[in-house]
Amino acid sequence: QDLTKEGSTIDANRRAFAERRDRSVQSVQTSLASITSSATAELEVINSDEKQDLGDLRSQHEHALNARDLELTRAGIGEKERQEELARERGRTEPELSQQENATKERHQHRREEVQRRIAKTKENADAAVSSLQQRFDTATVAPEREFRRQALRWIETSKRRLLVLESDKKRRA
């Protein structure tokens, strides 16, 4: 009877531990999903910022060329000469624009990589937390179950011996 009660207690404890573990794992997974969603939104903002910055650079460049064209027109320079001058101006300024675009892309890429590192670290921490929860669950439930099995086997062996003694006594009396 004691073993049955102890077995029931161990089962109840195991279920309670399992429920707590499952709730904790669910909480970790919910937090991870929230953080990942936030980081994904941050990546979208970075991509949008990069697109905007590159567009701004290109617009500034075109604006400078249009201003130069207007300046040449006001100076009374003919169409052919103006187009040649604008082509030379474009040739001089395109490499600088290209460098600025590359620096902008690189800056935004670094921002993306930082967010991705944070996501990876968060996932790593979540996996470690879930693993730790599982280990604690195993530790809390396996030892009592093992002890219960040992006691049950002892009880069975003792009961067998008692039965043998009782049978032996019964045979002697008969």
Side-chain angles (χ1 to χ4, degrees):
Q1 215 174 21
D2 287 343
L3 282 175
T4 303
K5 184 178 177 185
E6 190 172 336
S8 295
T9 301
I10 288 172
D11 284 343
N13 286 343
R14 182 178 183 74
R15 280 191 300 278
F17 279 133
E19 287 172 11
R20 281 199 308 262
R21 177 208 54 207
D22 292 346
R23 280 193 307 270
S24 295
V25 166
Q26 182 63 39
S27 174
V28 167
Q29 290 171 336
T30 300
S31 294
L32 175 61
S34 172
I35 291 167
T36 301
S37 174
S38 173
T40 301
E42 189 175 348
L43 287 173
E44 289 172 8
V45 168
I46 291 170
N47 290 338
S48 175
D49 287 351
E50 178 181 34
K51 193 174 188 178
Q52 181 68 44
D53 290 351
L54 291 172
D56 290 349
L57 284 173
R58 186 57 66 180
S59 291
Q60 289 168 4
H61 183 256
E62 289 302 318
H63 179 71
L65 288 174
N66 288 340
R68 180 71 177 137
D69 186 29
L70 186 59
E71 183 182 301
L72 294 172
T73 301
R74 286 185 180 155
I77 310 261
E79 177 70 22
K80 184 177 179 193
E81 293 84 11
R82 248 185 24 245
Q83 292 305 320
E84 288 171 355
E85 176 58 29
L86 289 174
R88 282 192 294 277
E89 185 73 22
R90 211 176 242 109
R92 283 191 306 272
T93 58
E94 281 288 334
E96 181 183 334
L97 174 63
S98 181
Q99 285 178 339
Q100 290 173 337
E101 287 174 333
N102 288 338
T104 299
K105 289 175 186 177
E106 191 174 313
R107 186 177 74 249
H108 289 290
Q109 182 60 31
H110 287 307
R111 288 176 60 200
R112 273 190 290 277
E113 288 168 359
E114 180 56 38
V115 171
Q116 289 164 343
R117 272 192 293 279
R118 283 196 333 257
I119 292 171
K121 187 65 175 168
T122 301
K123 285 181 181 178
E124 183 182 307
N125 290 342
D127 289 345
V130 168
S131 177
S132 173
L133 288 167
Q134 184 61 43
Q135 256 182 342
R136 288 199 323 245
F137 170 76
D138 291 345
T139 300
T141 58
V142 169
E145 286 177 0
R146 195 174 292 137
E147 182 58 31
F148 174 74
R149 279 195 291 274
R150 267 197 294 274
Q151 288 178 4
L153 288 173
R154 252 184 272 142
W155 181 81
I156 291 169
E157 290 300 320
T158 303
S159 296
K160 282 182 184 176
R161 276 189 244 117
R162 284 185 191 150
L163 280 174
L164 289 174
V165 168
L166 287 174
E167 284 180 20
S168 167
D169 285 349
K170 189 177 176 184
K171 285 180 185 176
R172 266 189 279 140
R173 287 186 204 142

